[in-house]
Amino acid sequence: MHNPTAVSAVVGERLIFGVRSGRMATLAVALLMPALIVAFAVYLAIGIATMEIPPGAAFPGPRFFPAIITAGLFALAALLVVGAVRAWRAPVPATAESDDEDAATESTSTLVTRRVGMDWKSFSWIVGSVLGFTLSLQILGWVIGAGLLFWCIARGFGSARPIFSLIVGFSVSSAAYIAFDMALGLSLPSGILGGGF
């Protein structure tokens, strides 16, 4: 599978992300991911606010780590918005036919500029896997759900080793399940592996 925006495909190149409709459409596309991150962070914040805490829960409690993740998501979204607005306000790069001096400088430069568009297939894999994980977490459980989520996101980013991604996904999700259960005393959904939902 070839992903034109994967790191291996763009090392040493300057990418200009854009669509045919103009600069406002470019900004809208760049703000799509921060909007999705904010929506997910709001979903987590609502879950934290409505979480039922046992009376004898000690610090840090079940809200502590989800709150850190939620705050990190809001901060990441803010950074992405700032980066998108800065890139949108930046002047458009000059063409290669500006003058002889620019042409000489460009010929000696190793940096290549090319325009790429939105990879809707990768975007669909990532967003679809997050939605599927959210909807099926109680049925599949954390270990299976998070393992499949890792595999789908790796596929969305262009991974060419599906078996390796699946093994890493299940290993990480199992380690997280054990860490939450033993270190924090918090039980993640076990789903079908626990004999029920």
Side-chain angles (χ1 to χ4, degrees):
M1 185 188 327
H2 177 64
N3 182 352
T5 58
V7 173
S8 60
V10 298
V11 171
E13 298 185 4
R14 176 183 295 139
L15 299 181
I16 304 171
F17 293 93
V19 292
R20 298 181 183 87
S21 306
R23 297 195 69 197
M24 287 304 294
T26 303
L27 180 62
V29 169
L31 293 178
L32 186 59
M33 184 55 72
L36 290 173
I37 293 174
V38 167
F40 186 62
V42 169
Y43 170 78
L44 287 180
I46 293 171
I48 293 169
T50 58
M51 182 186 298
E52 295 181 7
I53 301 176
F59 183 81
R63 288 181 175 168
F64 183 72
F65 289 105
I68 291 176
I69 293 172
T70 303
L73 288 173
F74 279 121
L76 176 62
L79 290 174
L80 289 175
V81 168
V82 169
V85 171
R86 282 184 177 173
W88 177 70
R89 294 180 65 184
V92 179
T95 58
E97 310 136 321
S98 53
D99 55 32
D100 295 337
E101 186 178 340
D102 289 339
T105 306
E106 237 178 277
S107 64
T108 58
S109 174
T110 59
L111 192 64
V112 180
T113 301
R114 68 179 169 125
R115 181 173 294 276
V116 295
M118 181 74 167
D119 187 354
W120 290 107
K121 186 176 180 181
S122 296
F123 180 78
S124 301
W125 267 102
I126 294 168
V127 173
S129 63
V130 171
L131 291 175
F133 171 75
T134 304
L135 296 174
S136 64
L137 180 59
Q138 295 299 325
I139 298 171
L140 295 178
W142 175 265
V143 174
I144 295 177
L148 291 175
L149 174 66
F150 184 94
W151 180 82
C152 289
I153 290 179
R155 182 177 173 87
F157 278 114
S159 172
R161 300 189 293 173
I163 302 298
F164 178 76
S165 299
L166 202 58
I167 292 171
V168 171
F170 282 131
S171 301
V172 171
S173 64
S174 300
Y177 185 88
I178 293 169
F180 269 81
D181 188 51
M182 297 180 67
L184 301 174
L186 303 173
S187 57
L188 295 171
S190 56
I192 56 179
L193 292 181
F197 331 133

